[in-house]
């Protein structure tokens, strides 16, 4: 489970997998890459995409000696509603204890439910904490997600994954990193140039670094036009 094909990390860490998000919460839940992976690798994720904990993976990062940039539970949503139970909260605490115990690594967290993040303040100083926004959420939901993300304390970087780009991005200048990527797979929606340009100009104006996924080259072309 350590290897990953995500561009901006070197390892994956999945003590929890699976997801129950609806289309209203996650506009791409029916085309989710993690769901596709679960079907291909059922021996790793179980026979379906139901949320489950994998006790045998919990201590994995303790064995990685070289510093890594780690994607935490990108094959699910660690902070989904289904994990807000006494048992789920205990597992989240144990996951964060591993993060605290591995200061040589940087751990990236990403969720569709950022309102559940602040309860874990203060976060480890080696944690980057983010939320995933597509621009196609229900009206007002993206702003709610960003406002919840701003309540995170302790983490040195609060970030937004604008992926896949399915609509315009409303954002706030207090984030420290922006990832932008296009939708992939059958019937993928092509991002409108104005959505990408507005996001790039906004990030550039506020001095926010952009990581452009390999499936998208527009942002790099736009930034080259700026002094």
């Amino acid at each position: 489970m350590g290897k990953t094909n995500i561009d901006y990390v070197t390892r994956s860490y999945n003590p929890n997998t699976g997801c129950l998000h609806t289309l209203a919460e996650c506009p791409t839940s029916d085309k989710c890459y993690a769901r596709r992976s679960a079907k291909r690798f059922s021996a790793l994720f179980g026979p379906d995409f139901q949320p489950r904990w994998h006790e045998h993976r919990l201590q994995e990062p303790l064995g990685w000696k070289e510093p890594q940039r780690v994607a935490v539970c990108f094959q699910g949503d660690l902070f989904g509603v289904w994990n807000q139970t006494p048992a789920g909260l205990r597992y989240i605490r144990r996951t964060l204890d591993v993060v605290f115990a591995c200061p040589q690594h940087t751990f990236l967290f990403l969720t569709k439910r950022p309102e559940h993040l602040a309860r874990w303040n203060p976060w480890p100083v080696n944690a980057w904490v983010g939320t995933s926004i597509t621009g196609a959420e229900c009206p007002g939901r993206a702003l709610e997600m960003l406002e919840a993300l701003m309540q995170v304390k302790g983490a040195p970087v609060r970030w937004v994954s604008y992926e896949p780009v399915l609509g315009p991005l409303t954002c706030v200048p207090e984030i420290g990193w922006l990832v932008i990527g296009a939708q992939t797979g059958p019937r993928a929606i092509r991002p409108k140039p104005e959505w990408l340009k507005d996001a790039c100009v906004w990030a550039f104006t506020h001095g926010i670094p952009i990581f452009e996924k390999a499936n998208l080259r527009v942002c790099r072309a736009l930034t080259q036009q700026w002094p």
Side-chain angles (χ1 to χ4, degrees), residues 21-29 112 134 136-139 141 145:
H21 285 320
T22 65
L23 277 171
E25 295 172 296
C26 179
T28 60
S29 62
K112 283 286 186 183
T134 68
E137 287 76 16
C138 297
R141 175 57 183 161
M145 295 167 74

Side-chain angles (χ1 to χ4, degrees), residues 27-79:
T28 60
S29 62
D30 59 337
K31 302 181 180 70
C32 175
Y33 85 94
R35 192 180 296 273
R36 295 198 302 266
S37 295
K39 289 182 179 180
R40 290 179 58 197
F41 304 106
S42 59
L44 296 175
F45 299 100
D48 49 36
F49 202 47
Q50 291 296 305
R52 52 175 49 87
W53 290 95
H54 305 274
E55 179 76 29
H56 64 286
R57 296 179 191 155
L58 195 61
Q59 306 295 321
E60 279 183 340
L62 298 173
W64 302 336
K65 297 188 178 181
E66 295 296 321
Q68 305 289 336
R69 180 179 275 196
V70 185
V72 182
C73 298
F74 278 27
Q75 296 291 341
D77 193 334
L78 184 62
F79 302 97

Side-chain angles (χ1 to χ4, degrees), residues 84-102:
Q84 306 306 303
T85 64
L89 295 175
R90 284 194 296 271
Y91 264 104
I92 294 174
R93 178 73 273 166
R94 293 176 65 193
T95 302
L96 290 175
D97 286 344
V98 171
V99 175
F100 276 109
C102 297

